[in-house]
Amino acid sequence: MCGIVGYIGYRDAYPIVIKGLHRLEYRGYDSSGVALIDKDLKVYKKAGKVADLEKFAEGLNTKGTIGMGHTRWATHGAPSDRNSHPHSSGNRKLTIIHNGIIENYATIKEALLAKGHIFLSDTDTEVLVHLIEDIQQETRLDLREAVRVALNKVIGAYAIVIMCADDHDQLIAARKGSPMVIGVGKGEYFVASDATPIVEFTKNVIYLNDNEIAYIRREDLLIKNIDNTVQTPYIQELDLKLEMLEKGGYEHFMLKEIYEQPRSIRDCMRGRIYPQLGKVQLGGIKEYVEKLKNIDRIIIIACGTSWHAGLVGEYLIEEYARVSVEVEYASEFRYRNPIITEKDLVIAISQSGETADTMAALELAKEKGATIFGICNVVGASIPRITDAGVYTHAGPEIGVASTKAFTAQVTVLTLMAFYIAQQRGTITQSKLVEYLTELNQIPELVERALQSNEHVKEIAAKFKDSTNCLFLGRGNAFPVALEGALKLKEISYIHAEGYPAAEMKHGPIALIDDEMPVVFIATHHSSYEKVISNIQEVKARKGHVIAIVTEGDVDVKAMADYVIEIPQTAEAFVPLLATIPLQLLAYHIAVMRGCNVDQPRNLAKSVTVE
Ligand code: G6P
């Protein structure tokens, strides 16, 4: 986790670094810090948010045209001033920021302690900067070489930036397993965990590859591999607009992103569906058509919200393409010696494209010879770079830590994939495809209509804002929606919430129901409608409060639920895309009413680049 940013050029570095840290705060917000060189090297760091660091630095000397900053999500060592980055060498000449984990830090630390190194923090990062210093002292190598030698000794993941008090014209950046982008300007360079701190200055970027080290001077950039071979950088143009990174008049990014869904779903389908022709086109995976025709099994791996999207995908792919699908938590999959063969297709779903467990699970699948696909949102991230093929979700940058538009875009891609595979395998008729795709094409407008329930959802939120527990129930492809609704509520409002398949309620959760307990049902007019009605009655009989998501014009559920929220009529296949909307709004309003930090919930980070 953690966000890192650096600048070298002719402008004042501090405002660029601070603004960049604000943009990267979604990656972690336990503490932050900056390093700047004016005449000498200055390091300021503080526990808390970037705003706390800014307050702390008010009135201090923040001059310098070279600088770097870090926003932390604590792994080794509690969030505190002393564990904040940057960390410095014993002689205070070198300073480092780091995203990732140095796994063998304890062994290295022990050896360095024996040599007399004194550590001021509990972090793995401080060990790395001391190791570089130690190599320099022992071997008399210059800093570039010392960094390279040190990186050859560490096991783990890192994106690092190093500055040296004695060299006002050099940033050294390196990556292995954690993201790093270099922005290329005229007489200036930027480095960052993603392109968001860079986009307002330059559109030209280089995505550093694993095991590469960039030696950056104002007028010169040299990239070498960790084995010392010079690399030719590939400069790409960013497809990112500044407005995408701002709140655009909304109180929170999360609300903005909820409201962006008609557009993000539309963007996700653009150029991919031809309703009148009954055709789906997925350019990113078209070279694998033969494989898809003959595939027996698909394994979906993901974490968090992306895992929920995977569960929706399982329903859709099995239903329409008739291929067996397994959905796995990446963190479990990678550690349980799974059976994977060359015949399998493994699909990783990840908004960020950087989640450490998902990456590791994918690497395992690759090793075992499976074909690997990615469904990612962030273009150029690590997962899309290691997969054989994939489909981008094109939801645009998602900044709120709780995922909203990325989820519906993932579900949209999986829906398209299900129909694409079905079309290749001939498991769906052309006329059915025309029918489904015509309806799918309407979804952005229907999402727009679902959003009109906002004020009504807000009123319901006011009734339940003080609840301590909440259940979310659904059947079929609405079960993953229930899981997602529960996750949204717990992660941003800190109310304990669980999602369950509605029929499983009687095997345990029913014991929790009393006159205090809100139970949210997804009770749309589809195949399990009658059965869900029975479950609603079971809750009512135990005095639970029922909030039901129903199809417009519903009569039966309305007669028994305490509150209903209507969503437009659609095919059962597309219910997740609509039913999710009021659940996102419910979580949002409850969290706002409870005074929670909606965009940056406690202990969470958007991109989990550690195990
Ligand atoms: C974190 C985020 C979640 C996200 C999950 C997986 O926990 O807070 O919103 O669903 O990681 O992230 P990914 O980027 O792989 O989708």
Side-chain angles (χ1 to χ4, degrees):
M1 227 93 84
C2 308
I4 62 181
V5 55
Y7 174 77
I8 181 165
Y10 53 87
R11 310 176 207 236
D12 262 346
Y14 181 72
I16 296 172
V17 168
I18 286 290
K19 204 168 187 190
L21 288 181
H22 278 297
R23 296 245 163 89
L24 293 170
E25 223 172 358
Y26 73 86
R27 302 177 65 86
Y29 32 81
D30 291 336
S31 66
S32 56
V34 291
L36 301 153
I37 303 177
D38 180 19
K39 287 192 186 64
D40 48 14
L41 173 68
K42 298 170 288 283
V43 174
Y44 306 133
K45 46 197 204 171
K46 205 75 204 131
K49 303 248 157 95
V50 177
D52 297 306
L53 173 70
E54 275 182 281
K55 247 184 243 143
F56 173 73
E58 263 168 34
L60 298 174
N61 178 2
T62 53
K63 288 210 187 86
T65 53
I66 170 169
M68 63 187 190
H70 183 273
T71 178
R72 176 168 188 250
W73 187 81
T75 55
H76 294 72
S80 63
D81 292 354
R82 70 185 183 89
N83 285 332
S84 310
H85 298 217
H87 291 286
S88 301
S89 55
N91 62 11
R92 301 276 155 263
K93 293 277 186 203
L94 301 178
T95 189
I96 189 171
I97 51 175
H98 169 214
N99 167 209
I101 287 188
I102 307 298
E103 286 167 13
N104 59 340
Y105 86 101
T107 331
I108 300 173
K109 188 171 183 175
E110 212 175 297
L112 292 173
L113 280 169
K115 287 181 169 182
H117 283 258
I118 296 166
F119 293 94
L120 305 180
S121 78
D122 311 315
T123 65
D124 50 338
T125 308
E126 193 187 10
V127 174
L128 178 56
V129 71
H130 276 252
L131 176 65
I132 297 167
E133 176 188 28
D134 194 70
I135 292 169
Q136 268 195 305
Q137 284 168 352
E138 296 237 315
T139 60
R140 301 278 147 211
L141 287 173
D142 71 0
L143 179 60
R144 291 183 170 200
E145 263 306 280
V147 169
R148 198 181 67 77
V149 172
L151 292 180
N152 273 293
K153 290 184 191 287
V154 302
I155 300 170
Y158 54 80
I160 52 164
V161 187
I162 295 168
M163 280 171 37
C164 175
D166 292 338
D167 190 347
H168 298 195
D169 190 23
Q170 177 160 252
L171 286 178
I172 300 182
R175 82 157 264 181
K176 184 183 175 196
S178 298
M180 170 83 77
V181 192
I182 301 176
V184 182
K186 285 201 177 81
E188 59 181 352
Y189 287 95
F190 305 80
V191 289
S193 300
D194 70 26
T196 58
I198 297 174
V199 61
E200 70 186 275
F201 302 102
T202 174
K203 293 256 174 192
N204 296 326
V205 295
I206 299 163
Y207 289 95
L208 212 60
N209 292 311
D210 273 351
N211 295 316
E212 285 182 347
I213 309 174
Y215 305 105
I216 309 168
R217 297 199 183 280
R218 286 177 178 79
E219 298 292 344
D220 176 46
L221 168 71
L222 172 67
I223 298 179
K224 279 188 170 181
N225 204 309
I226 200 164
D227 65 12
N228 214 16
T229 40
V230 174
Q231 308 289 302
T232 313
Y234 168 52
I235 302 182
Q236 328 187 9
E237 199 174 324
L238 275 180
D239 180 23
L240 186 67
K241 293 193 188 78
L242 201 53
E243 313 85 82
M244 294 174 169
L245 306 175
E246 285 162 358
K247 283 190 198 150
Y250 286 90
E251 203 184 329
H252 297 100
F253 280 110
M254 182 179 177
L255 190 61
K256 175 188 173 220
E257 288 156 6
I258 291 173
Y259 270 89
E260 275 176 346
Q261 289 174 107
R263 187 210 39 82
S264 52
I265 296 174
R266 170 76 60 219
D267 285 349
C268 180
M269 297 196 292
R270 197 182 305 284
R272 291 172 171 167
I273 60 167
Y274 300 87
Q276 283 138 354
L277 302 176
K279 193 172 160 200
V280 180
Q281 200 167 284
L282 292 175
I285 57 172
K286 70 172 192 293
E287 281 165 25
Y288 287 82
V289 163
E290 283 312 309
K291 172 106 197 168
L292 294 172
K293 275 185 189 161
N294 301 308
I295 196 106
D296 290 329
R297 184 169 78 136
I298 294 175
I299 302 167
I300 295 179
I301 49 175
C303 303
T305 288
S306 299
W307 183 78
H308 297 158
L311 289 177
V312 177
E314 177 181 20
Y315 281 90
L316 295 169
I317 296 171
E318 291 199 342
E319 171 81 23
Y320 298 105
R322 307 304 298 151
V323 185
S324 154
V325 179
E326 287 167 29
V327 187
E328 302 262 2
Y329 282 118
S331 53
E332 289 298 315
F333 181 78
R334 60 183 288 203
Y335 286 117
R336 66 161 178 74
N337 194 13
I339 298 166
I340 317 167
T341 72
E342 297 89 44
K343 288 204 234 146
D344 292 322
L345 168 64
V346 175
I347 305 177
I349 308 176
S350 173
Q351 186 285 130
S352 62
E354 299 289 347
T355 301
D357 283 321
T358 312
M359 269 293 280
L362 209 50
E363 272 158 4
L364 175 72
K366 194 174 189 166
E367 246 169 57
K368 300 210 175 205
T371 300
I372 56 171
F373 283 7
I375 298 179
C376 296
N377 193 37
V378 177
V379 175
S382 301
I383 291 174
R385 276 141 47 100
I386 68 157
T387 44
D388 296 311
V391 183
Y392 278 117
T393 47
H394 294 313
E398 190 180 66
I399 294 167
V401 165
S403 186
T404 52
K405 64 174 180 172
F407 173 73
T408 46
Q410 289 164 343
V411 171
T412 305
V413 165
L414 287 157
T415 310
L416 297 178
M417 245 188 202
F419 289 136
Y420 183 74
I421 303 172
Q423 162 189 286
Q424 306 303 335
R425 294 165 73 89
T427 51
I428 191 164
T429 63
Q430 196 60 18
S431 60
K432 270 280 166 210
L433 256 180
V434 169
E435 205 179 290
Y436 276 123
L437 296 182
T438 306
E439 204 155 345
L440 183 59
N441 208 24
Q442 299 305 312
I443 289 292
E445 279 105 272
L446 301 189
V447 170
E448 194 92 59
R449 259 172 49 205
L451 285 165
Q452 287 166 10
S453 66
N454 184 43
E455 282 307 312
H456 177 48
V457 175
K458 200 167 168 182
E459 284 162 20
I460 299 173
K463 309 265 180 216
F464 294 101
K465 70 176 174 37
D466 298 319
S467 301
T468 46
N469 291 292
C470 188
L471 268 181
F472 288 76
L473 303 174
R475 295 184 79 131
N477 65 2
F479 159 54
V481 176
L483 290 176
E484 178 59 10
L487 179 63
K488 284 303 83 119
L489 186 65
K490 75 180 126 191
E491 65 185 343
I492 62 169
S493 75
Y494 319 138
I495 293 175
H496 173 245
E498 294 300 335
Y500 259 89
E504 277 293 302
M505 178 183 69
K506 55 187 168 297
H507 300 294
I510 198 163
L512 297 169
I513 293 167
D514 59 14
D515 59 1
E516 305 257 293
M517 177 72 123
V519 184
V520 180
F521 277 94
I522 296 131
T524 55
H525 220 125
H526 294 105
S527 57
S528 9
Y529 183 66
E530 306 297 338
K531 300 211 182 307
V532 173
I533 285 184
S534 307
N535 299 138
I536 293 177
Q537 275 164 342
E538 286 155 16
V539 171
K540 285 310 299 169
R542 286 156 185 87
K543 301 198 168 54
H545 302 277
V546 171
I547 305 159
I549 312 294
V550 299
T551 309
E552 261 169 14
D554 177 279
V555 178
D556 298 346
V557 175
K558 255 185 202 161
M560 62 188 81
D562 298 273
Y563 302 93
V564 294
I565 304 165
E566 291 190 316
I567 56 170
Q569 163 67 44
T570 188
E572 187 162 6
F574 310 136
V575 164
L577 291 170
L578 299 186
T580 305
I581 308 294
L583 301 188
Q584 294 170 343
L585 289 170
L586 186 67
Y588 171 78
H589 289 301
I590 290 180
V592 170
M593 287 170 192
R594 288 165 71 92
C596 300
N597 187 338
V598 171
D599 284 334
Q600 295 175 344
R602 69 182 179 210
N603 304 339
L604 296 177
K606 186 140 195 77
S607 175
V608 184
T609 55
V610 296
E611 271 191 47

